[in-house]
Amino acid sequence: MDKPKVVLGVSGGIAAYKACELLRRLTESGHEVRVVPTASALHFVGAATWSALSGHPVSTEVWDDVHEVPHVRIGQHADLVVVAPATADVLAKAAHGLADDLLTNTLLTARCPVVFAPAMHTEMWEHPATQENVATLRRRGAVVIEPAVGRLTGVDTGKGRLPDPAEIYAVCRRVLDRGVTEPDLRGRHVVVSAGGTREPLDPVRFLGNRSSGKQGYALARTAAARGARVTLVAANTGLPDPAGVDVVPVGTAVQLREAVLKAAADADAVVMAAAVADFRPAAYAAGKIKKKDDKEPDPIVLVRNPDVLAEISAERARAGQVIVGFAAETDDVLANGRAKLERKGCDLLVVNEVGERKTFGSEENEAVVLGADGTETPVAHGPKDHLAETVWDLVAQRLG
Ligand code: CTP
């Protein structure tokens, strides 16, 4: 099969250096990438870098290799155009159909999906001109990723940061796989918990688990791509924030409960993908627990943690709120799953089999989604994003 052809447009912002990593991810995962920088982008990262990383010549103007009509051909032959970073200027030009260099010409001739990953100072992002341009591009079917909040150039912080290249890559993959889909979760607020809680014993030790958070992040990312406002309650994941998602970091089960209850108050759906510790040490030692030479260690006494899933299922914050749990099982997967669904009182339970080399930390997953209405939806082995899409399909059905 031919490699998917991606045009990577790079416009003139400091975040241009992060596009090198996006380019690397794209080429290493089997995409044919043509980089089209703007002249200003080359102030930040030179043509030699783009050319070496992509394996193709690079030009910014329509006047190079005119006989090949590059201003038309590059756009015509692409399966996807992604502009990262997209400056306010490039968004404005694209929204108004201006074409004064190779990138803007390419945007006019491309008939494939187009993804913009804007990066700029907060004032420029919030300016009504930019907001109207973004709305225009989205109305025409372009995917415009919400910028992240965080450190900008110099000492400034705020909204306008380029999302992590891994997340831009994930958005590109979704668009290549599924095209630009209807935002069927637009206007919905969804809460996802992810990762594994850590219950501290002393300042340096904790009881934890092997959950990586990848499935929860896939859920958050796909919900955002489907138009939802997403709150991601993240327990000890160390993963880059998914683009356009509000991330609330937590450590322990008690902190996770507080964050989930708060976010769930106005949520249409809550998906509990986090591995929440059922027990925590009864006591926390303020100083590091020392070994005593000739003595046996003291046993660790545990107490129960709240069951967040059971609690939010019993006391629904809103009528019609859809609640989804996850069950990690090692044996009798389906029978245990059915019993757990009833015990927890949620609407859907994603049951997957876990073991030393299964699920934890891996990029792929396989599961059955059990419904309180008796339904069973098997999800074949595949990327965690696919399972996430199925979960949102089932949630969207239930939200009506
Ligand atoms: N969960 C929760 N609060 C807890 C424990 C679990 O909200 N204190 C949620 C998890 O986020 C997950 C679901 O409950 O969605 C199932 O978790 P799991 O650990 O598989 O089930 P348990 O109820 O702990 O049952 P067991 O450990 O006995 O299998």
Side-chain angles (χ1 to χ4, degrees), residues 20-37:
C20 300
E21 187 179 336
L22 175 61
L23 171 55
R24 255 243 127 90
R25 277 182 184 267
L26 286 163
T27 53
E28 283 178 2
S29 54
H31 303 78
E32 181 77 36
V33 189
R34 182 77 197 241
V35 183
V36 183

Side-chain angles (χ1 to χ4, degrees), residues 193 272-278 305-310 324-329 340 343-344 349:
S193 72
M272 287 290 298
V276 186
D278 290 321
N305 267 331
D307 188 326
V308 186
L309 178 60
V324 186
F326 270 68
E329 301 290 344
K340 193 170 282 182
R343 215 164 53 239
K344 302 265 186 178
L349 189 77

Side-chain angles (χ1 to χ4, degrees), residues 194-199 206-209 211-213 217 233-239 248-253 255 275:
T197 62
R198 289 181 182 175
E199 311 298 324
F206 58 81
L207 299 181
N209 61 67
S211 174
S212 67
Y217 276 59
V233 178
N236 311 299
T237 58
L239 297 172
V248 184
V250 294
T252 65
Q255 290 166 356

